[in-house]
mmCIF file of all heavy atoms in Angstrom:
data_model
loop_
_atom_site.group_PDB
_atom_site.id
_atom_site.type_symbol
_atom_site.label_atom_id
_atom_site.label_comp_id
_atom_site.label_asym_id
_atom_site.label_seq_id
_atom_site.Cartn_x
_atom_site.Cartn_y
_atom_site.Cartn_z
ATOM 1 N N MET A 293 0.864 -1.144 -0.021
ATOM 2 C CA MET A 293 0.042 -0.006 0.039
ATOM 3 C C MET A 293 0.917 1.224 0.042
ATOM 4 O O MET A 293 2.114 1.140 0.360
ATOM 5 C CB MET A 293 -0.954 -0.144 1.150
ATOM 6 C CG MET A 293 -0.687 0.660 2.367
ATOM 7 S SD MET A 293 -1.924 0.450 3.725
ATOM 8 C CE MET A 293 -1.839 -1.330 4.053
ATOM 9 N N LYS A 294 0.357 2.338 -0.443
ATOM 10 C CA LYS A 294 1.086 3.558 -0.555
ATOM 11 C C LYS A 294 0.438 4.682 0.251
ATOM 12 O O LYS A 294 -0.753 4.721 0.324
ATOM 13 C CB LYS A 294 1.273 3.988 -1.979
ATOM 14 C CG LYS A 294 2.092 3.042 -2.789
ATOM 15 C CD LYS A 294 2.314 3.563 -4.232
ATOM 16 C CE LYS A 294 3.265 2.483 -4.844
ATOM 17 N NZ LYS A 294 3.672 2.998 -6.147
ATOM 18 N N GLY A 295 1.262 5.628 0.765
ATOM 19 C CA GLY A 295 0.828 6.834 1.396
ATOM 20 C C GLY A 295 1.541 8.018 0.705
ATOM 21 O O GLY A 295 2.305 7.828 -0.114
ATOM 22 N N LYS A 296 1.137 9.228 1.185
ATOM 23 C CA LYS A 296 1.655 10.382 0.601
ATOM 24 C C LYS A 296 2.283 11.236 1.634
ATOM 25 O O LYS A 296 1.615 11.576 2.691
ATOM 26 C CB LYS A 296 0.539 11.093 -0.186
ATOM 27 C CG LYS A 296 0.983 12.185 -1.089
ATOM 28 C CD LYS A 296 -0.206 12.677 -1.874
ATOM 29 C CE LYS A 296 0.326 13.429 -3.060
ATOM 30 N NZ LYS A 296 -0.827 13.860 -3.854
ATOM 31 N N CYS A 297 3.493 11.751 1.382
ATOM 32 C CA CYS A 297 4.142 12.526 2.383
ATOM 33 C C CYS A 297 3.337 13.952 2.396
ATOM 34 O O CYS A 297 3.025 14.567 1.318
ATOM 35 C CB CYS A 297 5.676 12.822 1.973
ATOM 36 S SG CYS A 297 6.419 13.967 2.929
ATOM 37 N N PRO A 298 3.010 14.455 3.658
ATOM 38 C CA PRO A 298 2.231 15.656 3.708
ATOM 39 C C PRO A 298 3.104 16.877 3.413
ATOM 40 O O PRO A 298 2.623 17.990 3.168
ATOM 41 C CB PRO A 298 1.785 15.676 5.142
ATOM 42 C CG PRO A 298 2.670 14.742 5.884
ATOM 43 C CD PRO A 298 3.181 13.758 4.915
ATOM 44 N N ASP A 299 4.476 16.688 3.380
ATOM 45 C CA ASP A 299 5.370 17.860 3.171
ATOM 46 C C ASP A 299 5.710 17.978 1.722
ATOM 47 O O ASP A 299 5.488 19.051 1.119
ATOM 48 C CB ASP A 299 6.582 17.664 4.044
ATOM 49 C CG ASP A 299 7.365 18.968 4.056
ATOM 50 O OD1 ASP A 299 6.762 20.090 4.260
ATOM 51 O OD2 ASP A 299 8.618 18.813 3.899
ATOM 52 N N CYS A 300 6.186 16.922 1.064
ATOM 53 C CA CYS A 300 6.637 16.982 -0.279
ATOM 54 C C CYS A 300 5.807 16.355 -1.331
ATOM 55 O O CYS A 300 6.098 16.264 -2.480
ATOM 56 C CB CYS A 300 8.115 16.592 -0.358
ATOM 57 S SG CYS A 300 8.319 14.720 -0.187
ATOM 58 N N SER A 301 4.743 15.642 -0.851
ATOM 59 C CA SER A 301 3.803 14.877 -1.650
ATOM 60 C C SER A 301 4.394 13.627 -2.270
ATOM 61 O O SER A 301 3.804 13.152 -3.301
ATOM 62 C CB SER A 301 3.211 15.824 -2.740
ATOM 63 O OG SER A 301 2.508 16.826 -2.140
ATOM 64 N N ALA A 302 5.534 13.112 -1.866
ATOM 65 C CA ALA A 302 6.134 11.940 -2.444
ATOM 66 C C ALA A 302 5.316 10.734 -2.056
ATOM 67 O O ALA A 302 4.777 10.693 -0.911
ATOM 68 C CB ALA A 302 7.595 11.780 -1.922
ATOM 69 N N GLU A 303 5.149 9.716 -2.934
ATOM 70 C CA GLU A 303 4.579 8.528 -2.526
ATOM 71 C C GLU A 303 5.497 7.641 -1.739
ATOM 72 O O GLU A 303 6.662 7.507 -2.082
ATOM 73 C CB GLU A 303 4.119 7.791 -3.789
ATOM 74 C CG GLU A 303 2.902 8.396 -4.470
ATOM 75 C CD GLU A 303 2.306 7.467 -5.423
ATOM 76 O OE1 GLU A 303 2.710 6.318 -5.575
ATOM 77 O OE2 GLU A 303 1.314 7.918 -6.094
ATOM 78 N N ILE A 304 5.007 7.071 -0.573
ATOM 79 C CA ILE A 304 5.712 6.286 0.271
ATOM 80 C C ILE A 304 5.167 4.956 0.342
ATOM 81 O O ILE A 304 3.886 4.728 0.661
ATOM 82 C CB ILE A 304 5.769 6.960 1.733
ATOM 83 C CG1 ILE A 304 6.327 8.369 1.635
ATOM 84 C CG2 ILE A 304 6.515 6.083 2.681
ATOM 85 C CD1 ILE A 304 6.138 9.183 2.909
ATOM 86 N N GLU A 305 5.980 3.960 0.225
ATOM 87 C CA GLU A 305 5.486 2.568 0.230
ATOM 88 C C GLU A 305 5.363 2.158 1.814
ATOM 89 O O GLU A 305 6.307 2.389 2.541
ATOM 90 C CB GLU A 305 6.479 1.577 -0.318
ATOM 91 C CG GLU A 305 6.123 0.169 -0.605
ATOM 92 C CD GLU A 305 4.946 0.043 -1.614
ATOM 93 O OE1 GLU A 305 4.972 0.811 -2.656
ATOM 94 O OE2 GLU A 305 4.078 -0.679 -1.448
ATOM 95 N N ILE A 306 4.104 1.659 2.105
ATOM 96 C CA ILE A 306 3.920 1.228 3.467
ATOM 97 C C ILE A 306 3.643 -0.256 3.534
ATOM 98 O O ILE A 306 2.788 -0.727 2.686
ATOM 99 C CB ILE A 306 2.782 1.983 4.069
ATOM 100 C CG1 ILE A 306 2.975 3.482 4.001
ATOM 101 C CG2 ILE A 306 2.411 1.591 5.480
ATOM 102 C CD1 ILE A 306 1.666 4.341 4.241
ATOM 103 N N ALA A 307 4.302 -0.982 4.327
ATOM 104 C CA ALA A 307 4.078 -2.435 4.404
ATOM 105 C C ALA A 307 2.639 -2.764 4.748
ATOM 106 O O ALA A 307 2.010 -2.045 5.517
ATOM 107 C CB ALA A 307 5.096 -3.076 5.459
ATOM 108 N N ASP A 308 2.113 -3.814 4.250
ATOM 109 C CA ASP A 308 0.689 -4.254 4.505
ATOM 110 C C ASP A 308 0.531 -4.634 5.932
ATOM 111 O O ASP A 308 -0.584 -4.426 6.479
ATOM 112 C CB ASP A 308 0.342 -5.469 3.592
ATOM 113 C CG ASP A 308 0.220 -5.061 2.233
ATOM 114 O OD1 ASP A 308 -0.058 -3.833 1.928
ATOM 115 O OD2 ASP A 308 0.266 -5.893 1.313
ATOM 116 N N ASP A 309 1.609 -5.083 6.615
ATOM 117 C CA ASP A 309 1.516 -5.495 7.983
ATOM 118 C C ASP A 309 1.965 -4.324 8.986
ATOM 119 O O ASP A 309 2.231 -4.608 10.112
ATOM 120 C CB ASP A 309 2.230 -6.791 8.296
ATOM 121 C CG ASP A 309 3.798 -6.542 7.971
ATOM 122 O OD1 ASP A 309 4.202 -5.590 7.344
ATOM 123 O OD2 ASP A 309 4.534 -7.504 8.415
ATOM 124 N N SER A 310 1.944 -3.100 8.466
ATOM 125 C CA SER A 310 2.365 -2.032 9.330
ATOM 126 C C SER A 310 1.313 -1.815 10.451
ATOM 127 O O SER A 310 0.115 -2.082 10.169
ATOM 128 C CB SER A 310 2.525 -0.750 8.529
ATOM 129 O OG SER A 310 1.233 -0.328 7.986
ATOM 130 N N ILE A 311 1.754 -1.297 11.588
ATOM 131 C CA ILE A 311 0.838 -1.150 12.708
ATOM 132 C C ILE A 311 0.705 0.373 13.083
ATOM 133 O O ILE A 311 1.518 1.139 12.688
ATOM 134 C CB ILE A 311 1.301 -1.930 13.926
ATOM 135 C CG1 ILE A 311 2.739 -1.420 14.306
ATOM 136 C CG2 ILE A 311 1.291 -3.410 13.696
ATOM 137 C CD1 ILE A 311 3.250 -2.021 15.569
ATOM 138 N N GLU A 312 -0.375 0.714 13.719
ATOM 139 C CA GLU A 312 -0.602 2.083 14.158
ATOM 140 C C GLU A 312 0.647 2.606 14.979
ATOM 141 O O GLU A 312 1.024 1.806 15.883
ATOM 142 C CB GLU A 312 -1.864 2.261 14.779
ATOM 143 C CG GLU A 312 -2.134 3.735 15.138
ATOM 144 C CD GLU A 312 -3.634 4.053 15.143
ATOM 145 O OE1 GLU A 312 -4.391 3.359 14.564
ATOM 146 O OE2 GLU A 312 -3.872 5.196 15.724
ATOM 147 N N GLY A 313 1.116 3.678 14.717
ATOM 148 C CA GLY A 313 2.112 4.261 15.543
ATOM 149 C C GLY A 313 3.530 3.934 14.951
ATOM 150 O O GLY A 313 4.538 4.557 15.422
ATOM 151 N N GLU A 314 3.597 3.053 13.977
ATOM 152 C CA GLU A 314 4.894 2.846 13.328
ATOM 153 C C GLU A 314 5.470 4.050 12.649
ATOM 154 O O GLU A 314 4.692 4.912 12.050
ATOM 155 C CB GLU A 314 4.638 1.730 12.275
ATOM 156 C CG GLU A 314 5.917 1.119 11.736
ATOM 157 C CD GLU A 314 5.745 -0.064 10.837
ATOM 158 O OE1 GLU A 314 4.792 -0.876 11.191
ATOM 159 O OE2 GLU A 314 6.418 -0.286 9.900
ATOM 160 N N ILE A 315 6.768 4.186 12.616
ATOM 161 C CA ILE A 315 7.393 5.330 12.089
ATOM 162 C C ILE A 315 7.990 5.047 10.613
ATOM 163 O O ILE A 315 8.646 3.982 10.468
ATOM 164 C CB ILE A 315 8.560 5.889 12.985
ATOM 165 C CG1 ILE A 315 8.013 6.199 14.383
ATOM 166 C CG2 ILE A 315 9.139 7.105 12.331
ATOM 167 C CD1 ILE A 315 6.977 7.161 14.425
ATOM 168 N N VAL A 316 7.679 5.801 9.665
ATOM 169 C CA VAL A 316 8.212 5.609 8.358
ATOM 170 C C VAL A 316 8.918 6.894 7.958
ATOM 171 O O VAL A 316 8.601 7.981 8.487
ATOM 172 C CB VAL A 316 7.179 5.267 7.297
ATOM 173 C CG1 VAL A 316 6.601 3.920 7.578
ATOM 174 C CG2 VAL A 316 6.127 6.323 7.176
ATOM 175 N N VAL A 317 9.934 6.871 7.055
ATOM 176 C CA VAL A 317 10.652 7.976 6.682
ATOM 177 C C VAL A 317 10.369 8.228 5.265
ATOM 178 O O VAL A 317 10.504 7.354 4.436
ATOM 179 C CB VAL A 317 12.239 7.785 6.935
ATOM 180 C CG1 VAL A 317 12.962 9.025 6.536
ATOM 181 C CG2 VAL A 317 12.394 7.589 8.447
ATOM 182 N N CYS A 318 10.154 9.503 4.903
ATOM 183 C CA CYS A 318 10.014 9.872 3.471
ATOM 184 C C CYS A 318 11.312 9.655 2.767
ATOM 185 O O CYS A 318 12.253 10.340 3.133
ATOM 186 C CB CYS A 318 9.382 11.262 3.335
ATOM 187 S SG CYS A 318 9.306 11.827 1.668
ATOM 188 N N PRO A 319 11.404 9.001 1.642
ATOM 189 C CA PRO A 319 12.682 8.800 0.908
ATOM 190 C C PRO A 319 13.041 10.075 0.208
ATOM 191 O O PRO A 319 14.210 10.225 -0.122
ATOM 192 C CB PRO A 319 12.313 7.618 0.010
ATOM 193 C CG PRO A 319 10.869 7.677 -0.190
ATOM 194 C CD PRO A 319 10.312 8.187 1.025
ATOM 195 N N ASP A 320 12.187 10.932 -0.092
ATOM 196 C CA ASP A 320 12.537 12.156 -0.809
ATOM 197 C C ASP A 320 13.041 13.269 0.066
ATOM 198 O O ASP A 320 14.062 13.874 -0.081
ATOM 199 C CB ASP A 320 11.354 12.720 -1.617
ATOM 200 C CG ASP A 320 11.146 11.843 -2.828
ATOM 201 O OD1 ASP A 320 11.822 10.873 -3.035
ATOM 202 O OD2 ASP A 320 10.211 12.109 -3.667
ATOM 203 N N CYS A 321 12.226 13.616 1.122
ATOM 204 C CA CYS A 321 12.633 14.807 1.974
ATOM 205 C C CYS A 321 13.123 14.360 3.410
ATOM 206 O O CYS A 321 13.632 15.204 4.082
ATOM 207 C CB CYS A 321 11.473 15.657 2.228
ATOM 208 S SG CYS A 321 10.071 15.022 3.206
ATOM 209 N N GLY A 322 13.117 13.125 3.746
ATOM 210 C CA GLY A 322 13.589 12.644 5.070
ATOM 211 C C GLY A 322 12.773 12.834 6.222
ATOM 212 O O GLY A 322 13.140 12.578 7.354
ATOM 213 N N LEU A 323 11.543 13.351 6.059
ATOM 214 C CA LEU A 323 10.588 13.647 7.121
ATOM 215 C C LEU A 323 10.141 12.435 7.763
ATOM 216 O O LEU A 323 9.819 11.420 7.043
ATOM 217 C CB LEU A 323 9.462 14.428 6.617
ATOM 218 C CG LEU A 323 8.410 15.073 7.506
ATOM 219 C CD1 LEU A 323 9.084 16.139 8.323
ATOM 220 C CD2 LEU A 323 7.231 15.580 6.815
ATOM 221 N N GLU A 324 10.100 12.350 9.083
ATOM 222 C CA GLU A 324 9.580 11.203 9.798
ATOM 223 C C GLU A 324 8.110 11.257 9.954
ATOM 224 O O GLU A 324 7.605 12.307 10.390
ATOM 225 C CB GLU A 324 10.292 11.075 11.131
ATOM 226 C CG GLU A 324 11.742 10.741 11.115
ATOM 227 C CD GLU A 324 12.478 10.452 12.364
ATOM 228 O OE1 GLU A 324 11.904 11.026 13.421
ATOM 229 O OE2 GLU A 324 13.375 9.783 12.441
ATOM 230 N N LEU A 325 7.408 10.159 9.628
ATOM 231 C CA LEU A 325 5.937 10.172 9.688
ATOM 232 C C LEU A 325 5.373 9.038 10.503
ATOM 233 O O LEU A 325 6.020 7.929 10.456
ATOM 234 C CB LEU A 325 5.433 10.090 8.234
ATOM 235 C CG LEU A 325 5.963 11.173 7.270
ATOM 236 C CD1 LEU A 325 5.757 10.765 5.859
ATOM 237 C CD2 LEU A 325 5.109 12.518 7.620
ATOM 238 N N GLU A 326 4.323 9.245 11.159
ATOM 239 C CA GLU A 326 3.664 8.191 11.945
ATOM 240 C C GLU A 326 2.430 7.651 11.287
ATOM 241 O O GLU A 326 1.651 8.367 10.712
ATOM 242 C CB GLU A 326 3.249 8.782 13.265
ATOM 243 C CG GLU A 326 2.671 7.815 14.246
ATOM 244 C CD GLU A 326 2.311 8.392 15.567
ATOM 245 O OE1 GLU A 326 2.264 9.623 15.704
ATOM 246 O OE2 GLU A 326 1.869 7.590 16.432
ATOM 247 N N VAL A 327 2.386 6.276 11.193
ATOM 248 C CA VAL A 327 1.268 5.610 10.617
ATOM 249 C C VAL A 327 0.030 5.723 11.469
ATOM 250 O O VAL A 327 0.075 5.324 12.636
ATOM 251 C CB VAL A 327 1.568 4.194 10.249
ATOM 252 C CG1 VAL A 327 0.380 3.492 9.672
ATOM 253 C CG2 VAL A 327 2.767 4.081 9.352
ATOM 254 N N LYS A 328 -1.092 6.227 10.956
ATOM 255 C CA LYS A 328 -2.304 6.273 11.693
ATOM 256 C C LYS A 328 -3.331 5.529 10.839
ATOM 257 O O LYS A 328 -3.347 5.641 9.637
ATOM 258 C CB LYS A 328 -2.662 7.751 11.807
ATOM 259 C CG LYS A 328 -1.874 8.548 12.811
ATOM 260 C CD LYS A 328 -2.223 8.267 14.176
ATOM 261 C CE LYS A 328 -1.489 9.210 15.187
ATOM 262 N NZ LYS A 328 -1.679 8.897 16.500
ATOM 263 N N LYS A 329 -4.223 4.868 11.527
ATOM 264 C CA LYS A 329 -5.381 4.127 10.869
ATOM 265 C C LYS A 329 -6.673 4.700 11.480
ATOM 266 O O LYS A 329 -6.783 4.837 12.681
ATOM 267 C CB LYS A 329 -5.204 2.642 11.123
ATOM 268 C CG LYS A 329 -4.054 2.020 10.326
ATOM 269 C CD LYS A 329 -4.086 0.443 10.498
ATOM 270 C CE LYS A 329 -2.892 -0.051 9.875
ATOM 271 N NZ LYS A 329 -2.915 -1.581 10.011
ATOM 272 N N ASP A 330 -7.612 4.924 10.505
ATOM 273 C CA ASP A 330 -8.940 5.407 10.957
ATOM 274 C C ASP A 330 -9.771 4.273 11.330
ATOM 275 O O ASP A 330 -9.345 3.080 11.090
ATOM 276 C CB ASP A 330 -9.587 6.456 10.072
ATOM 277 C CG ASP A 330 -9.916 5.826 8.678
ATOM 278 O OD1 ASP A 330 -9.806 4.582 8.595
ATOM 279 O OD2 ASP A 330 -10.225 6.659 7.810
ATOM 280 N N ALA A 331 -11.105 4.517 11.641
ATOM 281 C CA ALA A 331 -11.920 3.322 11.952
ATOM 282 C C ALA A 331 -12.149 2.378 10.878
ATOM 283 O O ALA A 331 -12.526 1.209 11.072
ATOM 284 C CB ALA A 331 -13.296 3.990 12.503
ATOM 285 N N THR A 332 -12.081 2.825 9.601
ATOM 286 C CA THR A 332 -12.372 1.996 8.428
ATOM 287 C C THR A 332 -11.055 1.285 8.003
ATOM 288 O O THR A 332 -11.052 0.512 7.088
ATOM 289 C CB THR A 332 -12.730 2.866 7.243
ATOM 290 O OG1 THR A 332 -11.757 3.803 6.813
ATOM 291 C CG2 THR A 332 -14.105 3.621 7.553
ATOM 292 N N GLY A 333 -9.933 1.548 8.720
ATOM 293 C CA GLY A 333 -8.659 0.852 8.457
ATOM 294 C C GLY A 333 -7.872 1.654 7.357
ATOM 295 O O GLY A 333 -6.751 1.164 6.913
ATOM 296 N N LYS A 334 -8.388 2.829 6.954
ATOM 297 C CA LYS A 334 -7.550 3.608 6.039
ATOM 298 C C LYS A 334 -6.273 4.208 6.708
ATOM 299 O O LYS A 334 -6.358 4.636 7.789
ATOM 300 C CB LYS A 334 -8.458 4.754 5.473
ATOM 301 C CG LYS A 334 -7.841 5.596 4.381
ATOM 302 C CD LYS A 334 -8.788 6.659 3.936
ATOM 303 C CE LYS A 334 -8.079 7.585 2.962
ATOM 304 N NZ LYS A 334 -8.904 8.709 2.608
ATOM 305 N N ILE A 335 -5.238 4.046 5.896
ATOM 306 C CA ILE A 335 -3.942 4.531 6.387
ATOM 307 C C ILE A 335 -3.752 6.035 6.116
ATOM 308 O O ILE A 335 -4.060 6.606 5.026
ATOM 309 C CB ILE A 335 -2.833 3.819 5.724
ATOM 310 C CG1 ILE A 335 -2.787 2.393 5.998
ATOM 311 C CG2 ILE A 335 -1.450 4.395 6.077
ATOM 312 C CD1 ILE A 335 -2.361 1.956 7.385
ATOM 313 N N GLU A 336 -3.140 6.711 7.154
ATOM 314 C CA GLU A 336 -2.869 8.174 6.980
ATOM 315 C C GLU A 336 -1.463 8.392 7.562
ATOM 316 O O GLU A 336 -1.101 7.736 8.523
ATOM 317 C CB GLU A 336 -3.882 8.969 7.732
ATOM 318 C CG GLU A 336 -3.705 10.401 7.644
ATOM 319 C CD GLU A 336 -4.818 11.192 8.493
ATOM 320 O OE1 GLU A 336 -5.977 10.718 8.468
ATOM 321 O OE2 GLU A 336 -4.458 12.193 9.104
ATOM 322 N N LEU A 337 -0.730 9.183 6.976
ATOM 323 C CA LEU A 337 0.590 9.569 7.512
ATOM 324 C C LEU A 337 0.574 10.906 8.070
ATOM 325 O O LEU A 337 0.191 11.882 7.501
ATOM 326 C CB LEU A 337 1.611 9.441 6.340
ATOM 327 C CG LEU A 337 1.889 8.100 5.776
ATOM 328 C CD1 LEU A 337 2.757 8.199 4.594
ATOM 329 C CD2 LEU A 337 2.400 7.134 6.843
ATOM 330 N N ARG A 338 1.078 11.074 9.340
ATOM 331 C CA ARG A 338 1.125 12.295 9.949
ATOM 332 C C ARG A 338 2.579 12.632 10.452
ATOM 333 O O ARG A 338 3.294 11.794 10.858
ATOM 334 C CB ARG A 338 0.281 12.367 11.298
ATOM 335 C CG ARG A 338 -1.195 12.173 10.983
ATOM 336 C CD ARG A 338 -1.970 12.565 12.180
ATOM 337 N NE ARG A 338 -3.403 12.267 11.884
ATOM 338 C CZ ARG A 338 -4.276 11.979 12.786
ATOM 339 N NH1 ARG A 338 -3.848 12.004 14.067
ATOM 340 N NH2 ARG A 338 -5.550 11.740 12.523
ATOM 341 N N GLN A 339 2.873 13.879 10.307
ATOM 342 C CA GLN A 339 4.203 14.416 10.643
ATOM 343 C C GLN A 339 4.478 14.236 12.139
ATOM 344 O O GLN A 339 3.519 14.620 12.909
ATOM 345 C CB GLN A 339 4.410 15.809 10.183
ATOM 346 C CG GLN A 339 5.878 16.293 10.547
ATOM 347 C CD GLN A 339 6.071 17.760 9.996
ATOM 348 O OE1 GLN A 339 5.157 18.316 9.306
ATOM 349 N NE2 GLN A 339 7.180 18.344 10.409
ATOM 350 N N ILE A 340 5.580 13.707 12.509
ATOM 351 C CA ILE A 340 5.809 13.615 14.024
ATOM 352 C C ILE A 340 6.335 14.949 14.498
ATOM 353 O O ILE A 340 7.101 15.709 13.927
ATOM 354 C CB ILE A 340 7.012 12.606 14.202
ATOM 355 C CG1 ILE A 340 6.639 11.225 13.740
ATOM 356 C CG2 ILE A 340 7.426 12.623 15.625
ATOM 357 C CD1 ILE A 340 7.691 10.158 13.735
ATOM 358 N N THR A 341 5.691 15.313 15.651
ATOM 359 C CA THR A 341 5.982 16.567 16.315
ATOM 360 C C THR A 341 6.920 16.321 17.492
ATOM 361 O O THR A 341 6.546 15.466 18.295
ATOM 362 C CB THR A 341 4.685 17.276 16.794
ATOM 363 O OG1 THR A 341 3.845 17.488 15.728
ATOM 364 C CG2 THR A 341 5.001 18.591 17.457
ATOM 365 N N ILE A 342 8.018 16.834 17.433
ATOM 366 C CA ILE A 342 9.012 16.646 18.454
ATOM 367 C C ILE A 342 8.896 17.880 19.403
ATOM 368 O O ILE A 342 9.140 18.936 19.020
ATOM 369 C CB ILE A 342 10.517 16.546 17.822
ATOM 370 C CG1 ILE A 342 10.595 15.342 16.872
ATOM 371 C CG2 ILE A 342 11.525 16.421 18.990
ATOM 372 C CD1 ILE A 342 11.867 15.277 16.166
ATOM 373 N N GLU A 343 8.606 17.487 20.616
ATOM 374 C CA GLU A 343 8.492 18.529 21.640
ATOM 375 C C GLU A 343 9.843 18.630 22.302
ATOM 376 O O GLU A 343 10.425 17.708 22.726
ATOM 377 C CB GLU A 343 7.412 18.199 22.637
ATOM 378 C CG GLU A 343 5.982 18.170 22.055
ATOM 379 C CD GLU A 343 5.042 17.948 22.981
ATOM 380 O OE1 GLU A 343 5.220 18.185 24.236
ATOM 381 O OE2 GLU A 343 3.895 17.514 22.614
ATOM 382 N N ARG A 344 10.351 19.863 22.304
ATOM 383 C CA ARG A 344 11.618 20.106 23.004
ATOM 384 C C ARG A 344 11.432 20.618 24.413
ATOM 385 O O ARG A 344 10.427 21.246 24.757
ATOM 386 C CB ARG A 344 12.316 21.094 22.134
ATOM 387 C CG ARG A 344 12.689 20.490 20.738
ATOM 388 C CD ARG A 344 13.557 21.319 19.942
ATOM 389 N NE ARG A 344 13.842 20.704 18.770
ATOM 390 C CZ ARG A 344 14.491 21.120 17.788
ATOM 391 N NH1 ARG A 344 15.070 22.345 17.878
ATOM 392 N NH2 ARG A 344 14.672 20.542 16.633
ATOM 393 N N GLU A 345 12.336 20.363 25.178
ATOM 394 C CA GLU A 345 12.358 20.788 26.597
ATOM 395 C C GLU A 345 12.597 22.313 26.696
ATOM 396 O O GLU A 345 13.400 22.874 25.998
ATOM 397 C CB GLU A 345 13.572 20.120 27.382
ATOM 398 C CG GLU A 345 13.386 20.178 28.773
ATOM 399 C CD GLU A 345 12.457 19.285 29.342
ATOM 400 O OE1 GLU A 345 12.211 18.171 28.889
ATOM 401 O OE2 GLU A 345 11.931 19.482 30.423
ATOM 402 N N ASP A 346 11.765 22.948 27.472
ATOM 403 C CA ASP A 346 11.952 24.364 27.573
ATOM 404 C C ASP A 346 12.685 24.681 28.862
ATOM 405 O O ASP A 346 12.256 24.394 29.998
ATOM 406 C CB ASP A 346 10.536 25.119 27.763
ATOM 407 C CG ASP A 346 10.566 26.543 27.925
ATOM 408 O OD1 ASP A 346 11.733 27.124 27.768
ATOM 409 O OD2 ASP A 346 9.524 27.166 28.260
ATOM 410 N N TRP A 347 13.920 25.138 28.703
ATOM 411 C CA TRP A 347 14.829 25.241 29.832
ATOM 412 C C TRP A 347 14.695 26.682 30.377
ATOM 413 O O TRP A 347 15.616 27.107 31.238
ATOM 414 C CB TRP A 347 16.221 24.916 29.476
ATOM 415 C CG TRP A 347 16.398 23.539 29.038
ATOM 416 C CD1 TRP A 347 16.396 23.134 27.731
ATOM 417 C CD2 TRP A 347 16.509 22.350 29.826
ATOM 418 N NE1 TRP A 347 16.494 21.697 27.707
ATOM 419 C CE2 TRP A 347 16.584 21.270 29.051
ATOM 420 C CE3 TRP A 347 16.517 22.196 31.238
ATOM 421 C CZ2 TRP A 347 16.654 19.927 29.505
ATOM 422 C CZ3 TRP A 347 16.646 20.929 31.698
ATOM 423 C CH2 TRP A 347 16.652 19.833 30.902
ATOM 424 N N GLY A 348 13.742 27.499 29.875
ATOM 425 C CA GLY A 348 13.536 28.811 30.495
ATOM 426 C C GLY A 348 14.598 29.846 30.065
ATOM 427 O O GLY A 348 14.813 30.867 30.708
ATOM 428 N N GLU A 349 15.296 29.547 28.964
ATOM 429 C CA GLU A 349 16.363 30.468 28.429
ATOM 430 C C GLU A 349 15.757 31.467 27.598
ATOM 431 O O GLU A 349 14.915 31.376 26.838
ATOM 432 C CB GLU A 349 17.433 29.618 27.706
ATOM 433 C CG GLU A 349 18.109 28.699 28.736
ATOM 434 C CD GLU A 349 19.116 27.806 28.032
ATOM 435 O OE1 GLU A 349 19.461 28.125 26.805
ATOM 436 O OE2 GLU A 349 19.572 26.933 28.625
#
């Protein structure tokens, strides 16, 4: 199955046995994406948000 990178629109091959929460990397832009499945089983790719520590600087 294939997904689409939300940043560069490249097609990304996703394994049929992928599980929700699995991380895939876009081969074109290198963006890390999380596999999400909706109630119907449709696959969606979402960009991972990295929260950084706020050290008060």
Side-chain angles (χ1 to χ4, degrees):
M293 102 181 58
K294 292 186 178 187
K296 195 170 196 176
C297 177
D299 191 47
C300 70
S301 299
E303 286 195 3
I304 302 170
E305 191 69 36
I306 303 169
D308 290 336
D309 61 347
S310 64
I311 58 173
E312 181 151 344
E314 191 170 324
I315 306 299
V316 296
V317 178
C318 176
D320 285 1
C321 68
L323 189 67
E324 291 185 333
L325 303 162
E326 182 177 10
V327 175
K328 293 281 187 182
K329 292 184 180 179
D330 66 10
T332 63
K334 184 179 175 186
I335 296 283
E336 180 180 324
L337 296 174
R338 292 194 187 157
Q339 182 177 352
I340 296 174
T341 303
I342 299 173
E343 295 184 22
R344 297 188 177 175
E345 196 79 30
D346 180 10
W347 298 99
E349 295 177 13

